[in-house]
Amino acid sequence: MSFLANLRQQNNSEQPLQLCYLLSIDQQHIAHLHLCLAELHQARPHLPGKPYFVQLQHLERPPQFLSPQDRNILQALVTADAEWFNHQSGGLPELNTWGFLQELLATGRCYSEYQPGRWQLLAQGEDCSLQLCWLINERGEQFLDWQTPQSESKVFYVSRTRFCKPLLYNTRDHRLGLAITELNAQAEKAISKIKPLNADAVEYFLQCHQDDWEQLTLPLPVLLSCEETSAQLIPLIVCQSVRVPSEPHGIRNEIQLHFALATEHYCTRIEGKSAPTYWDGSRLHQLQYDESEIKLRQAEIARNLAYFSARQHFGEDLPSVWYSRKEEDWQQLFGETIHHLTALGANVVIAQHFFQHYVFADSWQVEMQKGDDKGVHFSIHLSVGKLQIDLGELLAQLQTLNQQLKPAGKGKNQRFTLPDGRLLLIPAAQIKSLTEELGDLRYEAGVGFQLPKRELHRLASIHHRLPSATDWQGDLDHLHNAINLHQSPIVLDSKLSCVNAELRPYQWLGVCWMQHIKQHNINGLLADDMGLGKTLQTLAHLSFEHQQQRLTHPALIIMPTTLLQNWAREIKRFTPQLRVKIIHGVNRHQWWASLNEYDIVLSSYQLLINDLEHWQAQPLSWLILDEAQAIKNPRTRVSQAVREIACENKLCLSGTPVENHLGELWSILDFLMPGCLGSAKHFKSHFQKPVELDGNANRMAQLLERIAPFMLRRSKDQIARDLPAKTEIYQSIPLNDDQQQFYQQLKSLCWSDLQTQLDDTDAPGQQHIMVLNALLKLRQACCDPALLDAPHISSAKREYCVQMLCELVAEKRSVLVFSQFTSMLELLAEALTKENIPYLMLTGKSQHRQQLVDDFQAGKAPIFLISLKAGGTGLNLTHADTVIHYDPWWNQAAEQQATDRAHRIGQDKPVFVYKLITENTIEEKIAALQARKAVLSQHVNNQAQLSGENFAFKFEDLMSLWQEENSIV
């Protein structure tokens, strides 16, 4: 729509329009006129209205809102200055200015903005006589000005010609008046060229103009009495953004170094070579300083700003300048360098609209309140001066920008724009740490972060991540409890254990830890390495509970069936005062009614599901799971069954809480403390996937910190003084020629068949099984071709192993031989029989398991052949001093468990562990992949830092074995 059409539409609208005149006075005291069209509301114009542009057509055919008086005013404007056409603001006519102003005032529509957004109607005031006088500013400069009769009267001008045609504006009653002066044309000409005079120029001025000015009856400046005054030199570091067309975006952020002089009553900047002066009302002071000190201070400041690009002296009168396009340089300036500069006595000045003004939080505050669900909600605020910033809002900004895990890059600070334009900096490590800890919590503006009851222990981690000087306010009971939970347990008097054994210091500390978590009403996982005495520590704890009369109901311990008798023997040996009952066998039901007569009840995972209703009805003081990795899969019936047994106090025992993936750890801890790690879905997305697939070390460290209160683990390395040395030896064995030829033919055939099978199915599960089956054949070929119905082919590994066993027996060594293939153990047994070497063998089919163990411990046979699955748990075989792993197993943790049958508490001899690997075969690839995958399990179980390796054996890993193996010629 054209301007004219718009005006016509406005003119025909319901609200009538009025032309109004807005008068403003700039900093140079020059008057400006603005035209606007304002709608009338209750007969009053609604200002500031819409700008009105002067149109020639309106002067010829005035619209309804232009009165004849308005037309005359507009005509006077364009006659005085044609630039007013098509403009809505400009200067007043310089001829007959007062007459023009009188016409404006007469309209009753001339206004001034005396406060922002508030408009005051102007009226005509009385005429007033003005006199010229010389005034003295604080620098001792003398300048001409008009002396007004009242302080509220302000002089303004129509043109920029100084002192020409002054007018008066009374700011109290908002009236304009005519200023009357007695200056003639010669006087006006004389004063129009006068500039402010400093002390040195006054004497020269009087010499040149005194006679002429006296004839014109103009006032003269006076000579001021002057004295020298010592001043302190202060560096001024001015940060500002200047327009430089050659710079990106046309702006350069720079530092200018100036110097100021300060006395007790005055401070001024040094400009030029002349000594600064100041006037105190009666005397002029000339400030004195040591010029050599300037160069010294310049050099000091330059050293601190060396990382900036420096432009050092364009001229003696210009300041030194530093600038940089790097955001990190400005962050370093405000984060570190500024403190060094202020220590040197420098003042830092931030110019308005400086684009790199970084600030840090002055303080942090946390306000906590208890929630309706027995949890808490809390808000975290940062203070920057009087400004308070909600940390939750800042973290929300990061999530919006998808920067949650990398807020500013390594070693940098994260910046946030404050409402006033400043940039708040938070150290990168701190904001990343807080983001990691708080990122999965629900946040609601005005309420804060919400922490459910099951995760209140996290308050200690939040407390640790915030600055030490953070001000915590509100209900802090849960915070104190969380902090106490994370502290070391109180070491109790070991005499209170009442066990028939001398507990090692680390074992008694484990008992104290169990007491510690019980006092805080949480449950825990004792995850000491195999063979460090988890059973003994548990019995000492239960004995202590019994002594303190807290074992009011039986403690139920669930374990694999093979361990029932072992636990019963250990209880009778170490804590005979505790009454124990094994619930097992077909006649177990007769004991249900009398269970309260016992202190400890033992049962197995295998019977738990069938007996679940009985256990649900039985009050328990403790529910303890031995070999708790049995519930590593939360979907199994056993795992679901233990969760249905009501018991306030729970304890899990496991030397390998993580065997295959982190989800197993979640399952155990979720049984102990439901919800302590969130839901399984949340745990998988927040911890498991970032750690296992992405190698996220930060998320791994967060997980270890999160589980620290619930999990205690001591590795054998930590208590090496209590165990003899363990030496691991990888023995590489070359294949015999016929076995090598057999292996290569088998590999080629399997590879061809596998490719065909994989092409016939897209199901990942089936493909996974196909690859495993193909690899199994190659592994069996490495062990002994007889496992693949090729007894006529020799076995280099079997020959080597038998010869090795013969030598070890001759040296009076006791040996454990582990293999995952029971048929391989049978082949070794046949070979040992031929060599007349006695042996024992334990597999899943073996009966009288404990008798076999006792016979070996008694030295009835020097060699114990054990299947890896049957001998991985529950065996104490400290009579052995040598362990042989005949073939590598996928999970190194299982191998480690087997080794720990010999290398455990009670072993008094150095243990040698041999791993037999055939050269240039799939076994070498498995061993390498096995070592890589073991890293995560070791780090989780040992609560160490993660190296970032992947963990689980996935289809892609198995295929990589084939590809590597297929590349060997």
Side-chain angles (χ1 to χ4, degrees):
M1 182 181 294
S2 68
F3 178 77
L4 289 175
N6 187 37
L7 285 180
R8 293 190 188 100
Q9 181 177 350
Q10 292 175 349
N11 196 34
N12 294 329
S13 65
E14 296 181 0
Q15 296 291 343
L17 299 176
Q18 230 182 29
L19 180 64
C20 294
Y21 306 93
L22 309 181
L23 200 62
S24 66
I25 301 173
D26 64 19
Q27 294 181 348
Q28 284 73 39
H29 307 288
I30 307 299
H32 298 273
L33 179 62
H34 307 267
L35 305 177
C36 74
L37 282 176
E39 293 181 352
L40 290 178
H41 295 274
Q42 296 180 353
R44 296 178 60 88
H46 183 67
L47 298 175
K50 297 181 179 179
Y52 170 70
F53 296 84
V54 180
Q55 302 291 312
L56 178 60
Q57 296 90 331
H58 290 184
L59 297 180
E60 296 175 351
R61 297 188 300 277
Q64 293 181 3
F65 57 79
L66 286 185
S67 67
Q69 191 178 19
D70 293 326
R71 182 175 179 278
N72 292 336
I73 292 173
L74 297 178
Q75 186 65 58
L77 284 175
V78 298
T79 301
D81 185 357
E83 290 292 327
W84 266 100
F85 277 122
N86 297 320
H87 285 78
Q88 58 90 213
S89 65
L92 297 172
E94 295 188 18
L95 296 177
N96 193 23
T97 303
W98 177 239
F100 180 79
L101 281 173
Q102 287 178 311
E103 287 191 48
L104 291 184
L105 298 175
T107 65
R109 290 178 269 115
C110 185
Y111 297 85
S112 68
E113 190 177 19
Y114 71 102
Q115 289 182 4
R118 300 188 65 181
W119 299 88
Q120 180 63 48
L121 182 65
L122 297 176
Q124 183 173 339
E126 297 180 355
D127 298 344
C128 181
S129 298
L130 298 181
Q131 298 294 327
L132 276 177
C133 65
W134 286 91
L135 302 179
I136 305 174
N137 64 18
E138 61 181 6
R139 295 190 297 274
E141 296 174 333
Q142 299 186 48
F143 58 94
L144 274 174
D145 205 350
W146 295 103
Q147 187 174 11
T148 59
Q150 296 105 4
S151 59
E152 60 268 15
S153 296
K154 305 297 181 183
V155 178
F156 66 97
Y157 309 95
V158 175
S159 70
R160 297 190 181 276
T161 303
R162 190 163 176 79
F163 306 113
C164 180
K165 300 177 181 177
L167 298 166
L168 278 179
Y169 173 42
N170 189 300
T171 57
R172 180 174 56 84
D173 58 12
H174 304 285
R175 293 182 176 273
L176 297 181
L178 177 63
I180 301 174
T181 68
E182 299 179 355
L183 298 181
N184 56 30
Q186 285 183 303
E188 289 183 353
K189 182 178 180 181
I191 66 176
S192 64
K193 300 178 181 179
I194 294 301
K195 296 180 180 179
L197 305 175
N198 59 29
D200 295 335
V202 170
E203 185 174 0
Y204 178 76
F205 177 84
L206 292 174
Q207 291 175 359
C208 297
H209 302 291
Q210 183 171 356
D211 294 340
D212 295 338
W213 278 50
E214 287 178 347
Q215 290 180 4
L216 296 172
T217 66
L218 292 174
L220 292 170
V222 296
L223 291 172
L224 304 178
S225 59
C226 184
E227 67 177 29
E228 293 182 350
T229 302
S230 297
Q232 178 188 0
L233 186 69
I234 300 177
L236 294 178
I237 296 175
V238 181
C239 300
Q240 60 184 11
S241 299
V242 297
R243 294 192 176 277
V244 179
S246 60
E247 290 289 324
H249 309 294
I251 297 293
R252 181 172 68 207
N253 300 305
E254 67 179 28
I255 298 172
Q256 287 192 4
L257 173 60
H258 301 267
F259 286 91
L261 295 175
T263 67
E264 184 179 355
H265 304 290
Y266 184 71
C267 181
T268 186
R269 184 187 296 184
I270 298 176
E271 296 179 355
K273 295 181 178 180
S274 60
T277 58
Y278 83 92
W279 172 253
D280 65 3
S282 61
R283 187 179 300 275
L284 184 65
H285 297 266
Q286 191 172 51
L287 305 182
Q288 302 297 308
Y289 62 96
D290 185 356
E291 294 186 8
S292 63
E293 187 181 355
I294 288 183
K295 295 182 179 180
L296 178 63
R297 306 299 289 276
Q298 281 178 330
E300 289 177 335
I301 292 170
R303 283 194 294 270
N304 281 274
L305 297 175
Y307 54 90
F308 278 83
S309 301
R311 298 192 309 166
Q312 291 260 340
H313 297 295
F314 282 96
E316 295 184 0
D317 296 335
L318 293 177
S320 301
V321 177
W322 290 265
Y323 62 92
S324 176
R325 298 176 182 173
K326 297 180 180 179
E327 189 172 300
E328 303 85 51
D329 292 344
W330 293 102
Q331 293 186 10
Q332 183 177 345
L333 171 68
F334 288 96
E336 302 176 16
T337 311
I338 195 171
H339 303 294
H340 302 303
L341 296 176
T342 53
L344 294 174
N347 284 353
V348 178
V349 180
I350 309 298
Q352 190 176 14
H353 304 305
F354 175 59
F355 297 124
Q356 297 285 3
H357 187 184
Y358 294 98
V359 294
F360 289 84
D362 300 322
S363 61
W364 294 64
Q365 304 88 32
V366 179
E367 178 67 31
M368 289 186 57
Q369 294 183 10
K370 289 185 178 179
D372 296 336
D373 61 348
K374 297 184 180 181
V376 297
H377 52 82
F378 59 93
S379 56
I380 304 176
H381 287 90
L382 298 78
S383 295
V384 180
K386 296 182 179 180
L387 186 64
Q388 281 219 335
I389 303 101
D390 190 332
L391 179 66
E393 297 292 342
L394 300 186
L395 297 184
Q397 291 181 31
L398 287 183
Q399 292 176 342
T400 300
L401 297 172
N402 196 25
Q403 296 174 330
Q404 184 172 353
L405 296 181
K406 47 180 181 180
K410 184 178 180 181
K412 298 181 181 180
N413 297 312
Q414 179 62 53
R415 73 177 195 176
F416 301 92
T417 303
L418 300 179
D420 57 8
R422 291 179 296 172
L423 302 172
L424 171 65
L425 287 181
I426 302 179
Q430 186 176 58
I431 197 66
K432 178 178 287 188
S433 176
L434 288 170
T435 302
E436 287 282 353
E437 183 60 41
L438 302 174
D440 63 327
L441 293 182
R442 180 183 176 187
Y443 171 79
E444 183 178 347
V447 177
F449 296 98
Q450 300 180 48
L451 192 64
K453 177 184 177 181
R454 60 182 179 271
E455 298 184 56
L456 289 176
H457 62 280
R458 293 176 57 178
L459 287 172
S461 298
I462 297 170
H463 181 271
H464 174 70
R465 283 168 164 77
L466 290 171
S468 58
T470 298
D471 180 21
W472 289 76
Q473 300 177 353
D475 193 333
L476 305 182
D477 290 343
H478 290 312
L479 172 65
H480 296 152
N481 290 337
I483 293 175
N484 291 334
L485 172 62
H486 281 74
Q487 292 177 347
S488 299
I490 297 175
V491 180
L492 305 170
D493 187 351
S494 59
K495 296 178 182 179
L496 300 175
S497 66
C498 296
V499 294
N500 296 336
E502 182 178 351
L503 274 69
R504 290 173 169 82
Y506 79 88
Q507 292 175 325
W508 181 243
L509 182 61
V511 177
C512 296
W513 172 77
M514 296 181 198
Q515 290 294 310
H516 176 73
I517 61 175
K518 182 181 185 297
Q519 291 174 2
H520 287 83
N521 298 317
I522 67 170
N523 302 317
L525 166 63
L526 179 60
D528 285 346
D529 261 353
M530 289 292 179
L532 296 188
K534 293 188 289 296
T535 301
L536 180 57
Q537 295 176 65
T538 303
L539 293 179
H541 164 66
L542 292 177
S543 177
F544 187 87
E545 289 286 284
H546 180 264
Q547 182 189 16
Q548 299 297 317
Q549 298 182 352
R550 293 196 291 261
L551 209 61
T552 56
H553 299 289
L556 172 61
I557 306 178
I558 307 294
M559 64 198 71
T561 304
T562 55
L563 300 184
L564 288 171
Q565 294 299 329
N566 183 67
W567 267 90
R569 282 194 301 271
E570 298 288 275
I571 293 171
K572 292 178 181 179
R573 175 186 175 188
F574 295 121
T575 56
Q577 72 275 20
L578 299 181
R579 299 163 297 174
V580 62
K581 184 64 183 176
I582 297 178
I583 301 299
H584 194 262
V586 294
N587 297 322
R588 66 186 184 279
H589 300 288
Q590 62 181 312
W591 302 106
W592 293 123
S594 59
L595 288 184
N596 285 327
E597 299 175 6
Y598 299 94
D599 300 307
I600 300 177
V601 179
L602 309 178
S603 190
S604 67
Y605 291 109
Q606 290 85 339
L607 294 178
L608 178 65
I609 299 172
N610 295 334
D611 298 341
L612 182 58
E613 290 185 5
H614 296 287
W615 294 125
Q616 287 175 322
Q618 174 63 48
L620 299 172
S621 291
W622 284 84
L623 175 58
I624 300 174
L625 305 185
D626 188 22
E627 302 295 346
Q629 62 270 22
I631 64 167
K632 63 186 179 181
N633 185 347
R635 293 184 294 274
T636 62
R637 295 179 65 190
V638 168
S639 184
Q640 294 172 4
V642 295
R643 286 167 164 80
E644 296 179 21
I645 300 176
C647 186
E648 184 177 351
N649 302 309
K650 301 176 185 178
L651 178 68
C652 283
L653 311 176
S654 176
T656 54
V658 174
E659 291 183 321
N660 300 299
H661 56 79
L662 287 176
E664 299 170 351
L665 178 66
W666 175 88
S667 182
I668 296 175
L669 291 180
D670 192 69
F671 158 74
L672 291 169
M673 296 287 293
C676 67
L677 292 175
S679 66
K681 181 179 179 181
H682 167 77
F683 181 84
K684 186 171 184 178
S685 63
H686 192 71
F687 288 114
Q688 188 173 349
K689 182 180 180 296
V691 171
E692 294 180 4
L693 299 184
D694 304 332
N696 191 322
N698 291 326
R699 198 58 61 86
M700 182 64 193
Q702 183 190 4
L703 173 61
L704 293 177
E705 184 178 6
R706 189 76 58 84
I707 67 177
F710 317 122
M711 177 175 166
L712 177 65
R713 179 179 179 84
R714 277 76 57 86
S715 66
K716 291 178 180 177
D717 293 338
Q718 293 173 293
I719 54 169
R721 62 182 181 274
D722 289 329
L723 281 174
K726 180 179 71 172
T727 303
E728 291 190 352
I729 301 170
Y730 282 81
Q731 187 62 53
S732 183
I733 303 169
L735 297 179
N736 297 331
D737 291 342
D738 60 337
Q739 188 180 9
Q740 178 69 36
Q741 183 178 3
F742 175 80
Y743 179 83
Q744 293 297 333
Q745 291 174 347
L746 179 65
K747 182 175 68 173
S748 177
L749 178 62
C750 288
W751 178 243
S752 177
D753 292 344
L754 178 62
Q755 287 179 315
T756 302
Q757 293 172 356
L758 293 177
D759 290 339
D760 292 339
T761 179
D762 294 329
Q766 293 182 11
Q767 292 178 334
H768 193 276
I769 293 174
M770 292 173 183
V771 177
L772 280 175
N773 289 336
L775 290 173
L776 174 63
K777 293 180 180 180
L778 293 186
R779 294 168 61 215
Q780 290 175 322
C782 295
C783 292
D784 197 319
L787 297 177
L788 296 172
D789 298 327
H792 59 285
I793 305 296
S794 65
S795 170
K797 184 186 284 192
R798 175 164 52 84
E799 294 169 1
Y800 183 91
C801 183
V802 172
Q803 182 182 356
M804 183 179 181
L805 290 173
C806 292
E807 294 175 357
L808 290 171
V809 170
E811 295 175 1
K812 307 298 183 182
R813 308 291 290 274
S814 295
V815 187
L816 305 179
V817 181
F818 289 98
S819 175
Q820 62 183 300
F821 303 114
T822 56
S823 52
M824 188 66 241
L825 295 178
E826 293 171 355
L827 292 174
L828 290 174
E830 292 178 6
L832 292 174
T833 300
K834 292 180 182 180
E835 298 290 340
N836 295 318
I837 297 176
Y839 66 88
L840 297 169
M841 185 162 64
L842 175 64
T843 67
K845 298 179 180 180
S846 299
Q847 298 181 350
H848 309 296
R849 172 190 174 100
Q850 189 60 45
Q851 186 62 49
L852 291 171
V853 172
D854 293 342
D855 289 346
F856 180 78
Q857 288 290 88
K860 293 185 178 181
I863 297 176
F864 203 167
L865 304 175
I866 309 174
S867 68
L868 195 65
K869 186 174 182 180
T873 59
L875 299 181
N876 189 340
L877 301 172
T878 53
H879 182 68
D881 55 16
T882 304
V883 177
I884 296 176
H885 290 286
Y886 188 85
D887 44 84
W889 178 233
W890 296 116
N891 191 340
Q892 196 177 51
E895 285 187 2
Q896 187 63 48
Q897 283 182 307
T899 300
D900 288 339
R901 300 306 101 208
H903 192 245
R904 62 191 294 124
I905 294 298
Q907 179 61 268
D908 56 4
K909 304 177 291 296
V911 176
F912 291 85
V913 181
Y914 294 90
K915 296 186 177 183
L916 308 184
I917 305 295
T918 51
E919 286 183 3
N920 300 320
T921 67
I922 194 64
E923 286 191 336
E924 286 187 341
K925 309 301 183 300
I926 292 175
L929 183 60
Q930 177 196 62
R932 295 199 301 270
K933 300 302 179 180
V935 174
L936 178 58
S937 177
Q938 292 170 357
H939 285 354
V940 171
N941 293 338
N942 296 333
Q943 297 192 21
Q945 291 182 346
L946 178 69
S947 69
E949 294 288 347
N950 199 344
F951 177 63
F953 283 97
K954 297 186 170 50
F955 176 74
E956 294 78 6
D957 299 320
L958 300 177
M959 284 301 298
S960 70
L961 293 177
W962 269 112
Q963 293 168 354
E964 291 179 15
E965 187 69 3
N966 196 46
S967 65
I968 299 175
V969 179

